Amino acid sequence: MKQNIYKSAALVTVFSTIEKTLSFFYRVVLSRIIGAEGIGIYQICLSVFAVFLTAASSGIPVTVSRLMAKSNATGDVKAKNAAVTAGVVGTLIFTVPMAIILFFGRNAFGFLFSDDRCKDIFLILLPGLVITSVYAVMRGSFWGNKQFLPYSIIELLEDAVMVILGCILVYGVTDPVLGAQRATLAVLVSYVFSFIVSLFWYFKKGGKFVNPKRQLKPLFSSSMPITAMRTSTSVLNSAVAVLLPLLLMNAYGLSNSEAISLYGVAIGMSVPILFIPSSLIGSISVVVAPELSENYYRKKTALVKYDVEKSVKAAIFIATLLVPLLFVLGDEIGAFLYSNELSGEIVHRSAFILLPMCLAMITTTVLNSMNCEKKTLVYFFFGAAAMIASILGLTRFVGVYSYMIGLAANFTITAALNLRLLKKKCEDIKFIKYTVHSLIVIVATCAFGIMLDGIISRYVSLVWQIVICAPACLAFTAAFLYCLEMFTMRPFKKLISKN
């Protein structure tokens, strides 16, 4: 069983890494073609769209997956199909009326955007609200059935469609608004693609739409807190998209275009680099969550403890590898990818956010798998309040860094509260010693990396600084972890073991 988890996690991680790398470099291409202003407009539209999409479907896929895991534990096949059908019905009840209201009442919703140019671009995405919410349910069914290969392939192909079409559409565009419009169209086409392919696969593998009555109540009961938390996250991001440019304009006398450009640098360029671990954490969550739920409902306490410990330590391990890398090479990465000094500076100064971010993400998933959705929602609001307070109170003093400070506070509060609850749910889990050792490794590697970078920067170009320092820092970190017995080759051996 553990060997299957390793293989599934590796499979999802490989595909997810390729997908996120593709999306990341697509952002680089967009930033160079349509500029920081175009990226800012594009990001604002996606942030507002994400609010409605999240409200429609964010909690349902996870809940569908968990209900299917519970049905697997009891051997109830009909309940599995009913869970999927309930998910589709639940999401359509919200998305269809909402899409109609937003389309015909578009002039009344201008307050959602900090830039009026975003309104017409946002309408391009509206059909995606319905079809993507249905695809999200199909995604949950893949997780519940542990069909990780088709899920990974569809996700990768969706991104590939967006990137290829987006590059074709924005090629040669000089107007930032037109560029944002065409990039948004590519997003919509990618949504249509994943919707069609996922439905085809679901029915091909014997899936059916049946009477959902028996699963509607448990679906809504479990999904509402998750949906509320994730919707609040999207609302928070949209609030930032409105507040931050306005506060920058008031505090520093910037024009609207200048403020949007600064927002685009921070949110559209720097944050995607800092959120690189989220794809790896997501891969772990996709594989562990169904397994953890199934063991939880079967009351297999030892296996639950094992899953929780390994998940938390994996998140810490990912942060330990990446924090020194971004701290040492943040400036160089920003200059290389975007030709923008500020983006690199933000990455460098904000690299330590990664540890609480990874812990907050994985612990929220683990707790939701253990039927603690309402408590994680409350914890999220504590973190969100800290972020808003930071932006409102600090922007006049530190500019866009108020958002980064807010992110750090948000993740730290959420992670601390989640870990406290996990210790109550699984009293014997051990991660404190592992965390302390990881902090020691991070500090040591940062010191090593800074010295190495300082030496070679005198003799080689920016590209070669990255080429030399990145693997050197990773090797130093891995060696240190191995010496502290925090890293072994056992999982890799299990991946290739025939038995």
Side-chain angles (χ1 to χ4, degrees), residues 200-214:
F200 169 79
W201 184 264
Y202 175 73
F203 289 119
K204 184 178 185 296
K205 288 299 178 179
K208 297 177 182 178
F209 287 156
V210 300
N211 189 331
K213 184 176 179 180
R214 62 188 294 198

Side-chain angles (χ1 to χ4, degrees), residues 53-121:
L53 181 61
T54 304
S57 61
S58 63
I60 290 179
V62 176
T63 306
V64 167
S65 171
R66 205 181 78 190
L67 290 174
M68 293 178 74
K70 186 176 182 179
S71 299
N72 285 332
T74 58
D76 191 344
V77 177
K78 289 184 179 179
K80 290 173 62 176
N81 288 327
V84 176
T85 310
V88 173
V89 170
T91 194
L92 289 178
I93 287 173
F94 179 87
T95 55
V96 174
M98 183 54 64
I100 293 171
I101 292 170
L102 287 171
F103 179 78
F104 289 103
R106 53 188 177 275
N107 293 327
F109 294 102
F111 67 91
L112 294 172
F113 307 98
S114 58
D115 192 309
D116 287 338
R117 297 173 293 178
C118 297
K119 285 193 295 185
D120 291 334
I121 298 175

